[in-house]
Each structure stands twice: as structure tokens, then as C-alpha cells.
Amino acid sequence: VATSPCGNYGGTNLCGAAGSPVAVKDLRCTGSEFSIDECEWSPPDATCLEHGLDSVVYCGTLGAASGDGALRVLSKEGAPSLSGDGLLQIRFAGKWSSVCGAAPGAMAVACKAMG
């Protein structure tokens, strides 16, 4: 698992738009939880609405998130999807690109690859 502060991730700025909603602040988990609901956090404050402290996480082998073949799902706001629903993108030729048309089997493989 690799984490980084908000900013450029694979050549794309994934920070939330200033003023857009923030779910939680200072998310703290021990690692033994089965769900984020079991973790602790604080309510977001005004500083969070600037989105400079947004977290980007990649679950997998360190460094693989930006290599060709890496996958990600973006929410309609352009941020990493928290629900798992959104725009599927693949890293191809050094750039993030949308996937135009994917069979159900391909979508299942993409979800499995992203955990």
C-alpha cells in the first residue's frame, strides 16, 4: 500500500475541488478492520475544504500505480472513487485514458485487479 498527499498522481491532479464535500478527517485504522466503518476519524473542518491534505492511496505493489497497465476509478468529480463506481481508466503510453466499452468479464477482472 502506498499513500501520498493530494497532488499529481500518475500525471493527473486528483485533489478535490476547493469547497467540495469532505467525508472525514484524520482517518485512523489499525489494519485489522474489515471495513472503514470500524476505523476512527474526526469530523472535517474548514481546512479540509481546501483539499490540500486529500489522501491518494494505491493498494498493490509500490510503484505499480503509475506504470502502464495500472487501473483506477474516478468519481464524477474527478477524484478517486470511494464507492468503487465511476470512470474506469487505464495507464497507457504514460497517460491515464478512459476505457471505451468493456465486457462484463473485463470489468470483473478490473475490479479484481484493484482489490
Side-chain angles (χ1 to χ4, degrees), residues 2 9-10 12 14 56-61 63-75 79-81 84 86-115:
Y9 173 78
T12 302
L14 295 180
V56 175
V57 64
Y58 171 74
C59 306
T61 306
S66 59
D68 281 356
L71 299 168
R72 71 180 184 184
V73 177
L74 298 180
S75 70
S81 174
L87 175 67
L88 175 64
Q89 291 191 323
I90 187 169
R91 186 96 171 147
F92 182 76
K95 295 182 180 181
W96 287 106
S97 301
S98 298
V99 175
C100 181
M107 297 302 272
V109 171
C111 288
K112 184 177 177 181
M114 291 184 288

Side-chain angles (χ1 to χ4, degrees), residues 27-48:
L27 181 63
R28 297 171 305 279
C29 306
T30 65
S32 63
E33 298 86 352
F34 291 104
S35 168
I36 291 291
D37 294 341
E38 298 175 27
C39 298
E40 297 179 13
W41 63 83
S42 303
D45 57 24
T47 304
C48 295

